[in-house]
Amino acid sequence: MLGNTEGKTKDCPVTKEELAYIAGFLDGDGCVMLQLVNRHDYVLGYQIRASIVFYQKAINASFLEGLKGKLKYGYTRIRKDDMCEYTIVGVEPVTEVLKLLSPYLVLKKKQAELALKVLAQMPGKGKRITQKLLLSLAYEVDKFADLNYSKRRTNTSEKLIEFLKSHNLLIP
């Protein structure tokens, strides 16, 4: 847990100034996403995936590794197109990082607010999401298409409804 942001401490190596810089970097070269992901191993067929991704040319991969060292979550990878991604995935890590960065975000402020609203409603570990809650949150996830200028998005609340109907899982 990152905890206190008053200054660098053993528990929190990130200052407020660094958080402001990281938020600016996310605003410019990053993305906050909630996605509806098809899962064949899930009873309801879908899950909501939360992620934060920072992008940079592969030559600057060490910079993203440094961010990872500060934020303490996620992984980096170099793509075939010579880009590097630093990705944070999961309800708890994304929630924690967004809470830290939100006060400093400008361009991604709406995405962060919407993500935090949705993630706050997600069931805790070991608890299953209900059809009603998944569908309600899927409508919220649909809003990310406009906020993130999504072009290739295929999993939507409509697709979830089709799946639930076809598997007799839709509760009226």
Side-chain angles (χ1 to χ4, degrees), residues 81-108:
D81 63 355
D82 202 36
M83 290 295 289
C84 184
E85 293 180 350
Y86 166 39
T87 305
I88 301 166
V89 179
V91 172
E92 291 175 20
V94 169
T95 298
E96 186 171 339
V97 171
L98 286 179
K99 283 181 178 179
L100 289 170
L101 299 180
S102 285
Y104 309 103
L105 288 171
V106 177
L107 298 174
K108 303 288 191 308

Side-chain angles (χ1 to χ4, degrees), residues 10-83:
K10 185 176 156 190
D11 295 333
C12 180
V14 187
T15 65
K16 287 184 178 184
E17 291 79 12
E18 288 170 320
L19 289 174
Y21 177 82
I22 295 167
F25 186 68
L26 178 60
D27 269 340
D29 286 328
C31 187
V32 177
M33 292 183 284
L34 288 185
Q35 300 167 287
L36 200 55
V37 178
N38 187 273
R39 293 291 304 258
H40 299 290
D41 56 333
Y42 279 36
V43 172
L44 299 178
Y46 288 84
Q47 79 169 101
I48 294 173
R49 178 185 299 149
S51 55
I52 299 169
V53 186
F54 297 88
Y55 303 95
Q56 204 47 219
K57 292 287 278 179
I59 195 167
N60 296 318
S62 63
F63 175 80
L64 293 181
E65 282 292 332
L67 282 185
K68 180 180 153 206
K70 295 222 177 265
L71 296 177
K72 305 293 184 203
Y73 293 109
Y75 60 91
T76 60
R77 75 176 181 108
I78 296 179
R79 304 185 324 204
K80 292 179 182 179
D81 63 355
D82 202 36
M83 290 295 289

